[in-house]
Amino acid sequence: MRLSQMLFVTLRDDPADAEIPSHKLLLRAGYIRRIGSGIYAYLPLMWRVLQKVSQIVREEMNKTGAQECLLPQIQPAELWKESGRWDTYTKAEGIMFSLIDRREQQLGLGPTHEEVITAVARDMIRSYRQLPTHLYQIQTKFRDEIRPRFGLMRGREFIMKDGYSFHADEESLKQTYQDMYQAYTNMLRRCGLAFRAVEADSGAIGGSGSTEFMVLADAGEDEVLYTEDGKYAANVEKAVSLPADTQTSPFTTFEKRETPGTDTIEKLCNFLKCSPTQIVKNVLYQTVYDHGLTVLVLVNIRGDQEVNEVKLQNELTKLAPQFNAKTIISLSVPTNEMIENWAAKSLPLGYIAPDLSDDYIAGNKQVNSKFVRFVDQTAVELKNFVTGANESGFHVVGANWNEQFKLPELVVDIRKAKVGDRAVHDPTQTLQTARGIEAGHIFQLGIKYSQAMGATYTNEQGEEKPLLMGCYGVGVSRLAQSAVEQSYDKDGIIWPIAIAPYHAIVTIPNIKDAQQIEIAEKLYTELNKAGVETILDDRDERAGVKFKDADLIGIPFRIVTGRAIANGKVEVVKRATRESEEIAIEEIVNTLKQWIKQATAA
Ligand code: ATP
Ligand code: MG
């Protein structure tokens, strides 16, 4: 490709609406253009990057025996009603774009394809002899994200590889999951990314069957906790750790104390001269289930600990059947305004005790009349603890479970692990923290969809069983941008060679010099013929402008037909290191082929 013929526009200044480096650089270097909120045009350079990433993904998937297909993006609502996700996806979470066609039929634009693939499997899979099987596709997905941002990182239209596997037994599912773990590791390594595979939250389905692949970058939306020994890494949503040791309580007898102005743990500790590890903190939450019922939740947790709201949400989702609901649609610490909507009388906020009476709730059809009461493991072990007295300005000290307070039946782990905590697998290791961009997520689904949608097979004994499923997603467009987030300098992008739009750029410093042009044209033709993907900067621009642009778009090797041609050489500059050397013209093709081969070895 000749730059003189390309639709190529670079911007000198940072676009106003871009916050993170990769977003700014992709806009400035002419890779993408914003069309609407979370909607981008992939311009020719970007499209080449996306195709390279897709090809690496495809090769790694094919190696595992998975088969590529292409599923419809327009999906009938019926399928989503069968799985029970239509209302949550279109209304509660509102992540799915939906529409009504001319026959008054409801349709959704595919945010993901579990329903469609399960419908295919239900039609086609009859017997264990057809299992396992694994289909994947690379395709545009649509999600009406609440906060589209950072360019391709969180778009409303983006490219994903999604794959779905079907199995007769757990062992087979685990095998494919392992294969995908390896395939995803290979994909990210081949794309030139620094990443970490981490244990991830798999929602209320539970199990240990979910891994996220995090590209490490400060702009990442996720926090990862890991240990130096490399044996533990988890998304903070899922992470576990050992809490600090509890200090022995100085209060040996139970009594109520006046503790004015102590509505936070810190103030209370200062006032009573005690440690937060001796306090049972009682945190109020408010959740709404999918059919509209509001449920109030009281969590007892040790004073120095925080509630992990993802873990809490999972526990509440497990209780959904008890409320004739499927899932929850919101969870928050209620504001005063929210409290006014259900409180029968003024709550002793900041002084709540574990036995806060259900009388505080003015129950009705919309509001459950009782608190759901959870106690976190950390609070269960406490002896002679301090806690609220259900009266403003008062606490109790020297309290014990099953003496003054009944221990709630629901004992759970809902505490947040944090940096500096000791690791469970080895208490001498402490948790470290890093930011990550979730590029991929692999998941053992089990029978959630097959059971809901009646996708079954007949096993060797002739019994009909629901299919076991796994699903595996990688964000192709997000991954491409995260490569930039990980690799740039003040002058522009530094693409990893394997996914750079072109390997090399031949720059003619002086377009009026016939010899420069002749050598550049020759190299341009020969390099491309040899498989070194090369662009020619044959624009009538100053050399300085051309060098700036080449740096900005981040092509790995720049070949300059400048002064050195007098000695039969050209200058070659490596974008990543800025190393420059003069190489004989006839050796250029072989040298570059060699470098590229080394850098992209599968
Ligand atoms: P997130 O938590 O970031 O919203 P997700 O859990 O919704 O991601 P999945 O449904 O597992 O993501 O989708 C698989 C992959 O698709 C993700 O790992 C990510 O790389 C990519 N992805 C998801 N949502 C978006 C988006 N809005 N824009 C770009 N890529 C996305
Ligand atoms: Mg999402």
Side-chain angles (χ1 to χ4, degrees):
M1 189 69 213
R2 290 161 190 278
L3 265 188
S4 62
Q5 292 171 6
M6 217 164 115
L7 178 60
F8 181 68
V9 179
T10 56
L11 311 172
R12 286 286 158 247
D13 299 315
D14 283 337
D17 59 340
E19 291 162 70
I20 59 171
S22 56
H23 186 196
K24 290 178 188 168
L25 287 169
L26 288 178
L27 284 167
R28 279 186 52 204
Y31 281 81
I32 56 174
R33 273 287 179 279
R34 182 181 182 275
I35 302 298
S37 168
I39 304 172
Y40 287 85
Y42 310 124
L43 297 170
L45 289 174
M46 191 72 223
W47 185 235
R48 286 183 69 99
V49 173
L50 293 171
Q51 282 179 298
K52 291 212 173 167
V53 173
S54 300
Q55 187 55 25
I56 290 171
V57 167
R58 184 174 283 124
E59 284 169 18
E60 293 301 328
M61 291 304 293
N62 291 349
K63 242 196 249 174
T64 69
Q67 282 204 294
E68 188 167 0
C69 65
L70 191 59
L71 302 169
Q73 283 161 310
I74 301 184
Q75 307 186 2
E78 284 71 53
L79 291 180
W80 288 73
K81 288 182 180 162
E82 284 183 46
S83 73
R85 292 208 291 183
W86 179 256
D87 283 342
T88 17
Y89 268 62
T90 58
K91 293 195 199 102
E93 286 184 27
I95 196 96
M96 182 148 75
F97 290 100
S98 59
L99 55 115
I100 292 175
D101 69 12
R102 68 172 79 222
R103 288 176 197 83
E104 300 285 309
Q105 300 297 307
Q106 284 180 309
L107 300 163
L109 293 184
T112 180
H113 281 72
E114 283 83 5
E115 281 76 2
V116 169
I117 199 79
T118 306
V120 171
R122 174 171 65 189
D123 279 356
M124 295 182 66
I125 299 175
R126 294 270 163 269
S127 149
Y128 69 94
R129 287 192 199 85
Q130 295 166 281
L131 299 171
T133 190
H134 185 169
L135 296 181
Y136 76 93
Q137 58 173 347
I138 299 173
Q139 181 201 56
T140 295
K141 294 279 185 275
F142 301 92
R143 291 186 187 180
D144 196 0
E145 297 278 356
I146 301 173
R147 267 181 293 280
R149 58 177 191 161
F150 300 160
L152 308 187
M153 292 289 192
R154 186 170 297 285
R156 294 200 298 162
E157 185 181 315
F158 60 95
I159 302 175
M160 195 204 288
K161 183 288 294 182
D162 49 328
Y164 307 87
S165 65
F166 295 91
H167 309 267
D169 55 53
E170 287 281 345
E171 203 184 321
S172 164
L173 171 58
K174 290 213 159 70
Q175 182 58 52
T176 298
Y177 184 75
Q178 270 314 311
D179 292 347
M180 283 302 113
Y181 190 101
Q182 190 57 51
Y184 275 48
T185 302
N186 296 347
M187 282 171 202
L188 291 164
R189 181 182 46 74
R190 286 183 59 191
C191 288
L193 295 164
F195 68 97
R196 210 180 264 280
V198 309
E199 284 179 25
D201 173 56
S202 32
I205 314 172
S208 59
S210 166
T211 302
E212 284 167 345
F213 290 81
M214 295 286 187
V215 173
L216 302 171
D218 290 339
E221 290 185 334
D222 287 282
E223 185 185 356
V224 171
L225 294 174
Y226 65 96
T227 53
E228 290 294 354
D229 65 2
K231 292 194 176 132
Y232 185 73
N235 191 315
V236 67
E237 292 178 345
K238 160 88 181 179
V240 292
S241 65
L242 300 173
D245 290 332
T246 305
Q247 295 183 29
T248 309
S249 173
F251 307 106
T252 44
T253 46
F254 177 75
E255 57 184 277
K256 182 168 154 184
R257 296 247 183 118
E258 188 167 4
T259 54
T262 58
D263 56 354
T264 66
I265 296 290
E266 202 189 341
K267 289 181 200 161
L268 182 61
C269 288
N270 282 337
F271 187 89
L272 289 177
K273 310 243 168 330
C274 68
S275 149
T277 63
Q278 296 150 350
I279 299 173
V280 170
K281 172 164 81 175
N282 307 293
V283 196
L284 193 60
Y285 280 93
Q286 173 161 348
T287 187
V288 181
Y289 283 91
D290 51 353
H291 54 355
L293 182 73
T294 294
V295 174
L296 288 319
V297 184
L298 193 63
V299 175
N300 317 132
I301 189 166
R302 205 174 77 184
D304 61 323
Q305 302 297 324
E306 299 300 324
V307 175
N308 175 330
E309 293 187 2
V310 174
K311 291 184 184 176
L312 175 60
Q313 178 164 343
N314 291 339
E315 294 300 331
L316 286 166
T317 307
K318 283 188 212 159
L319 299 183
Q322 184 174 314
F323 297 110
N324 293 319
K326 286 202 191 77
T327 177
I328 71 173
I329 56 178
S330 74
L331 172 67
S332 54
V333 172
T335 59
N336 288 338
E337 207 182 339
M338 287 157 82
I339 291 175
E340 269 168 36
N341 286 328
W342 54 260
K345 51 188 173 178
S346 171
L347 281 149
L349 292 175
Y351 303 88
I352 290 177
D355 63 351
L356 184 72
S357 162
D358 292 329
D359 295 347
Y360 280 97
I361 307 173
N364 59 40
K365 256 201 238 130
Q366 295 299 312
V367 181
N368 192 52
S369 61
K370 285 190 163 60
F371 288 105
V372 166
R373 294 166 195 272
F374 286 122
V375 58
D376 182 75
Q377 288 287 2
T378 51
V380 176
E381 300 149 11
L382 297 191
K383 303 261 179 305
N384 295 322
F385 55 80
V386 176
T387 196
N390 283 333
E391 187 179 336
S392 232
F394 289 88
H395 282 87
V396 295
V397 303
N400 284 291
W401 294 113
N402 296 336
E403 288 176 20
Q404 292 79 23
F405 300 107
K406 186 169 171 283
L407 185 72
E409 279 166 26
L410 301 169
V411 178
V412 288
D413 165 27
I414 42 178
R415 69 179 265 278
K416 200 168 177 172
K418 54 180 187 296
V419 61
D421 282 352
R422 293 167 302 165
V424 173
H425 74 277
D426 176 358
T428 67
Q429 294 277 323
T430 52
L431 297 187
Q432 317 281 312
T433 179
R435 304 298 305 177
I437 300 163
E438 181 200 321
H441 195 172
I442 62 174
F443 210 101
Q444 296 179 31
L445 278 175
I447 57 172
K448 182 175 152 117
Y449 295 93
S450 52
Q451 194 167 51
M453 297 179 65
T456 58
Y457 72 101
T458 308
N459 71 11
E460 247 172 301
Q461 288 74 44
E463 300 155 333
E464 198 173 327
K465 297 272 181 193
L467 288 158
L468 279 168
M469 271 175 81
C471 73
Y472 321 93
V474 58
V476 169
S477 44
R478 181 185 285 184
L479 188 159
Q481 184 173 329
S482 57
V484 179
E485 196 56 42
Q486 239 180 25
S487 178
Y488 64 91
D489 62 16
K490 64 177 182 14
D491 298 316
I493 299 170
I494 302 172
W495 284 111
I497 294 173
I499 61 171
Y502 290 93
H503 298 129
I505 177 164
V506 176
T507 306
I508 310 171
N510 179 3
I511 198 83
K512 311 254 161 21
D513 182 327
Q515 203 192 355
Q516 285 193 11
I517 295 179
E518 190 194 318
I519 292 168
E521 288 282 353
K522 179 167 149 322
L523 282 175
Y524 169 62
T525 310
E526 283 177 1
L527 284 165
N528 275 313
K529 214 151 97 196
V532 178
E533 299 162 25
T534 306
I535 27 178
L536 179 65
D537 192 349
D538 56 345
R539 293 174 303 167
D540 187 5
E541 290 281 1
R542 281 183 295 114
V545 170
K546 294 186 182 185
F547 295 156
K548 266 211 162 74
D549 278 342
D551 280 351
L552 180 60
I553 63 177
I555 307 299
F557 304 109
R558 183 173 83 212
I559 300 162
V560 188
T561 56
R563 255 176 253 128
I565 58 173
N567 309 320
K569 293 183 172 178
V570 286
E571 186 196 19
V572 182
V573 184
K574 291 184 178 160
R575 175 67 184 88
T577 58
R578 300 203 169 280
E579 280 170 273
S580 149
E581 55 184 300
E582 291 185 352
I583 296 178
I585 293 168
E586 58 274 16
E587 278 165 25
I588 283 291
V589 171
N590 274 335
T591 307
L592 262 78
K593 265 172 70 176
Q594 198 58 37
W595 287 348
I596 293 163
K597 199 171 150 198
Q598 274 166 11
T600 57

